[in-house]
Amino acid sequence: AQRGSLLPADARQSCPGRPEGQDHPPENGFTPLEHPVPRLLPHIDGTVLPSLGGFGKHQKQLVVLTWIPALFIGFSQFSDYFLLAQPNGTCVQPLTNESNWTAASPLVTGGAPALQLAVNGTEGAYGDSSMLCACKEWRLELHTGLSQNVVTKWNLVCDSAWKVHIAKFSLLVGSIFGYLVMGVMADWFGRHPVLILSVLFMLVFGLSVAFSVNVTMFSTLRFFEGFCLAGLALSLYVLRIELCLPAWRFSMTMVASFLMVAGQLLMPGVAALCRNWPGRDDWQVLQIVIISPFVLMLPYVWLFPESLRWLLATQHYRRSKVMMLRIARKNQVNVTTEPNGVLAELEQELHKKPQPTCIVKMVSTRNLWKNIVVLCVNSLTGYGIHHCFARSMMDPEAQPTALCHADYYTMAGIAVATCLALCPAVGLMGRRGGLLTFMIITALASLLQLGLLNLIGKYSLRHDTGTTAVFLRDSLNRKFSVAFSIIGMFSSHAVSTLSIFFCAEITPTVIRGGGLGLVLASAGFGMLTAPIMELHNQKGYFLHHVIFACCTLLCIICLLLLPEPRGQPLPESLADGEIFTRQTLLHPGEQHLLLAKTDGDFLFAVFDSLRENSTASYNSL
């Protein structure tokens, strides 16, 4: 067996009746950690799936079914850029007849310094938001593909601008709660019920959003839409991982990531097609268009079965038998002819009752909870600092909440480049090596942007006082800032994507939904920093960037504690997750012996290990 990895199936079969995850029989009176389990059924990647045809026709068809909704999920996740885009505003009827001014830049309330006004024919820098808001009637124009959206529909400007940020919060906050709740439900009731319920309620709440009568109703329904969208994305991610053998897991996941990025790239075109639709507002048509394709997932009630891996891990053996026969028939494999095979062993375990596990039991583990916490911090840092880089990349003269098509396509292009780079990087360096490399690049880009650019500015101010020199300094500073921002967005997106996949691989099947839900919820908190900064008009933006830059340094140290799951079977029980640790300097037998003991018996285990070493040394002499 390799150090820091799960034991292969043939090694575990040598000790029938041994507790799962324990590599040696109980010694010195120590009691087993769990009740005895079958010899073959817990080793799904090593024995069960190969006996059913491996990654055969049945599994490939189901993986393709998990790819199709990824495009629709991409539409929904990036719909805020169009439904809640900030318009350009022109005052048609001021409160006083003496002043005649217009807003010539994108209208962002709350005191944006870049906004220029023309008052009585003279232009001046905007300094007082009350002057801009002293207008009876606005003419609002969008430049994001739609002619009307939620902001223009209900005039969410000036004193009502905070409602736009609440609407942005609602989808993200709903997603955070959805990841946490649906992850627990996926472990307790199964992946299939969560998938179907998410699809049904996604259609109900998503279509109801299009018929909102005010912004309060819109925000409330968007919360439930985000909740259902999170359950849909999480269940599909878990099902995709659990269908694949070790060699196929990463490639199948990356295909789904490419499809989600494709949804981001196609979203401006979809919005343009919904422009000037007769009989309906543009934003209503767009909402209906991006939700309606989920109707195609209704046949998944019959087409998509429950995860066989979850059924076996939670001892749903009667349902597992029906599922295994179905898979073997589709893969054209005869499993009834083996007298000592998996199916024969399953017959002896049909009397056992199901035993689902909750994510709360993770707190009683020694190593598993640490790995999940490290990945939660990584995911939070990756998505949080991604907004810092995106804000630095945008034109400082543009408004912070106005994303033009150039910035939108730049971010989408960076996402495509990240997915393309992840494939060879993970193939060469592994999961942990790739995650560590991209985190180091993120930290360097952040520190250079915060430190080097300020150093250039101070040095230039000290030696260069001419107008030309100041212009060259600002131009050089701007170019370096954009370059570091692009590099940082690239690497931080890779960190976020790889952290989520890493968690899905090292979390045991019995709590994979809950563990993945924690990491995805942490990613949601990272995304939530963007509308929070916009709500405060970017006040404290520099401190925000400094905090996340410090978190990247902390993550680099913590990543060294993670194991390397490449090529290893997925852990099925909590005991499997406990022995799935990083490589150490200890002998494999010593490491597993230490991990097999309880905390109270740790010193006795160390003493036994030292005694065995001394005995072996004496015998060799």
Side-chain angles (χ1 to χ4, degrees), residues 398-418:
Q399 299 303 324
T401 55
L403 277 177
C404 61
H405 283 303
D407 294 325
Y408 183 88
Y409 280 118
T410 300
M411 292 194 299
I414 292 173
V416 173
T418 301

Side-chain angles (χ1 to χ4, degrees), residues 306-536:
E306 183 57 83
S307 171
L308 175 63
R309 193 183 297 270
W310 178 82
L311 290 175
L312 291 173
T314 54
Q315 297 185 6
H316 288 79
Y317 290 133
R318 294 188 179 276
R319 296 172 61 186
S320 299
K321 179 181 178 182
V322 178
M323 186 66 59
M324 290 169 63
L325 292 175
R326 176 182 175 183
I327 296 174
R329 183 174 65 254
K330 288 193 174 183
N331 289 339
Q332 298 180 354
V333 176
N334 190 358
V335 295
T336 59
T337 57
E338 302 179 6
N340 297 323
V342 175
L343 196 60
E345 186 173 324
L346 182 64
E347 292 286 348
Q348 303 174 4
E349 307 296 332
L350 295 179
H351 63 280
K352 291 188 175 182
K353 295 182 179 180
Q355 295 183 356
T357 306
C358 183
I359 187 64
V360 179
K361 291 188 176 181
M362 178 189 68
V363 298
S364 63
T365 61
R366 182 183 300 174
N367 299 301
L368 182 60
W369 72 269
K370 300 176 185 177
N371 296 337
I372 294 179
V373 168
V374 169
L375 292 173
C376 286
V377 176
N378 273 269
S379 181
L380 172 64
T381 303
Y383 277 104
I385 203 170
H386 188 273
H387 168 68
C388 298
F389 289 124
R391 178 70 184 92
S392 300
M393 184 192 68
M394 295 171 60
D395 188 357
E397 296 183 356
Q399 299 303 324
T401 55
L403 277 177
C404 61
H405 283 303
D407 294 325
Y408 183 88
Y409 280 118
T410 300
M411 292 194 299
I414 292 173
V416 173
T418 301
C419 295
L420 291 174
L422 273 175
C423 298
V426 173
L428 292 174
M429 295 180 289
R431 278 64 159 154
R432 184 176 61 177
L435 187 57
L436 183 61
T437 300
F438 286 114
M439 183 60 77
I440 292 174
I441 296 174
T442 303
L444 289 176
S446 180
L447 295 176
L448 288 173
Q449 189 177 52
L450 291 174
L452 180 61
L453 298 182
N454 290 333
L455 182 63
I456 292 175
K458 291 180 180 179
Y459 181 81
S460 301
L461 287 175
R462 185 178 301 174
H463 295 83
D464 301 326
T465 58
T467 305
T468 305
V470 172
F471 175 77
L472 292 176
R473 180 203 67 199
D474 294 340
S475 178
L476 181 63
N477 199 325
R478 176 61 185 162
K479 290 180 180 179
F480 273 113
S481 179
V482 171
F484 289 141
S485 297
I486 293 176
I487 295 173
M489 291 178 65
F490 168 82
S491 56
S492 61
H493 191 274
V495 166
S496 306
T497 303
L498 203 52
S499 296
I500 296 171
F501 177 75
F502 207 124
C503 177
E505 282 199 316
I506 67 173
T507 307
T509 300
V510 290
I511 59 170
R512 182 166 292 121
L516 190 61
L518 287 175
V519 175
L520 288 170
S522 300
F525 278 112
M527 298 178 189
L528 199 60
T529 58
I532 290 176
M533 294 302 295
E534 293 176 1
L535 183 61
H536 291 83

Side-chain angles (χ1 to χ4, degrees), residues 140-438:
L140 304 176
E141 298 178 358
L142 288 171
H143 298 281
T144 55
L146 298 177
S147 60
Q148 187 183 43
N149 68 351
V150 175
V151 180
T152 60
K153 172 69 174 180
W154 293 303
N155 290 322
L156 302 181
V157 295
C158 296
D159 294 337
S160 300
W162 61 273
K163 298 179 181 180
V164 179
H165 302 293
I166 297 300
K168 291 182 179 180
F169 289 158
S170 61
L171 186 69
L172 289 175
V173 174
S175 298
I176 292 173
F177 280 98
Y179 287 132
L180 295 175
V181 175
M182 291 300 192
V184 175
M185 291 181 61
D187 291 332
W188 198 260
F189 300 104
R191 286 65 163 121
H192 184 264
V194 171
L195 175 65
I196 301 305
L197 286 176
S198 299
V199 172
L200 292 176
F201 285 105
M202 181 70 179
L203 289 171
V204 173
F205 290 113
L207 294 176
S208 299
V209 169
F211 300 96
S212 301
V213 295
N214 52 43
V215 68
T216 303
M217 180 178 178
F218 177 86
S219 300
T220 304
L221 292 175
R222 288 281 283 180
F223 172 87
F224 291 105
E225 180 188 349
F227 189 95
C228 300
L229 185 66
L232 182 61
L234 185 143
S235 57
L236 288 172
Y237 202 104
V238 172
L239 284 168
R240 190 182 305 113
I241 290 288
E242 294 181 349
L243 282 169
C244 300
L245 291 174
W248 293 88
R249 289 198 298 257
F250 185 71
S251 59
M252 298 297 100
T253 302
M254 289 310 300
V255 172
S257 299
F258 276 112
L259 289 173
M260 291 184 65
V261 176
Q264 181 181 359
L265 288 170
L266 294 175
M267 193 61 195
V270 175
L273 293 176
C274 299
R275 187 181 179 91
N276 297 324
W277 197 271
R280 286 286 178 186
D281 294 336
D282 296 352
W283 68 272
Q284 293 179 314
V285 177
L286 178 62
Q287 179 68 16
I288 294 174
V289 167
I290 63 178
I291 296 298
S292 297
F294 287 104
V295 176
L296 300 176
M297 295 188 65
L298 292 179
Y300 281 32
V301 178
W302 304 279
L303 296 178
F304 217 105
E306 183 57 83
S307 171
L308 175 63
R309 193 183 297 270
W310 178 82
L311 290 175
L312 291 173
T314 54
Q315 297 185 6
H316 288 79
Y317 290 133
R318 294 188 179 276
R319 296 172 61 186
S320 299
K321 179 181 178 182
V322 178
M323 186 66 59
M324 290 169 63
L325 292 175
R326 176 182 175 183
I327 296 174
R329 183 174 65 254
K330 288 193 174 183
N331 289 339
Q332 298 180 354
V333 176
N334 190 358
V335 295
T336 59
T337 57
E338 302 179 6
N340 297 323
V342 175
L343 196 60
E345 186 173 324
L346 182 64
E347 292 286 348
Q348 303 174 4
E349 307 296 332
L350 295 179
H351 63 280
K352 291 188 175 182
K353 295 182 179 180
Q355 295 183 356
T357 306
C358 183
I359 187 64
V360 179
K361 291 188 176 181
M362 178 189 68
V363 298
S364 63
T365 61
R366 182 183 300 174
N367 299 301
L368 182 60
W369 72 269
K370 300 176 185 177
N371 296 337
I372 294 179
V373 168
V374 169
L375 292 173
C376 286
V377 176
N378 273 269
S379 181
L380 172 64
T381 303
Y383 277 104
I385 203 170
H386 188 273
H387 168 68
C388 298
F389 289 124
R391 178 70 184 92
S392 300
M393 184 192 68
M394 295 171 60
D395 188 357
E397 296 183 356
Q399 299 303 324
T401 55
L403 277 177
C404 61
H405 283 303
D407 294 325
Y408 183 88
Y409 280 118
T410 300
M411 292 194 299
I414 292 173
V416 173
T418 301
C419 295
L420 291 174
L422 273 175
C423 298
V426 173
L428 292 174
M429 295 180 289
R431 278 64 159 154
R432 184 176 61 177
L435 187 57
L436 183 61
T437 300
F438 286 114

Side-chain angles (χ1 to χ4, degrees), residues 511-560:
I511 59 170
R512 182 166 292 121
L516 190 61
L518 287 175
V519 175
L520 288 170
S522 300
F525 278 112
M527 298 178 189
L528 199 60
T529 58
I532 290 176
M533 294 302 295
E534 293 176 1
L535 183 61
H536 291 83
N537 296 317
Q538 306 299 325
K539 294 180 180 179
Y541 162 74
F542 183 79
L543 179 61
H544 176 229
H545 197 168
V546 170
I547 292 174
F548 278 111
C550 295
C551 290
T552 58
L553 301 178
L554 178 64
C555 291
I556 292 174
I557 300 174
C558 295
L559 283 175
L560 300 175

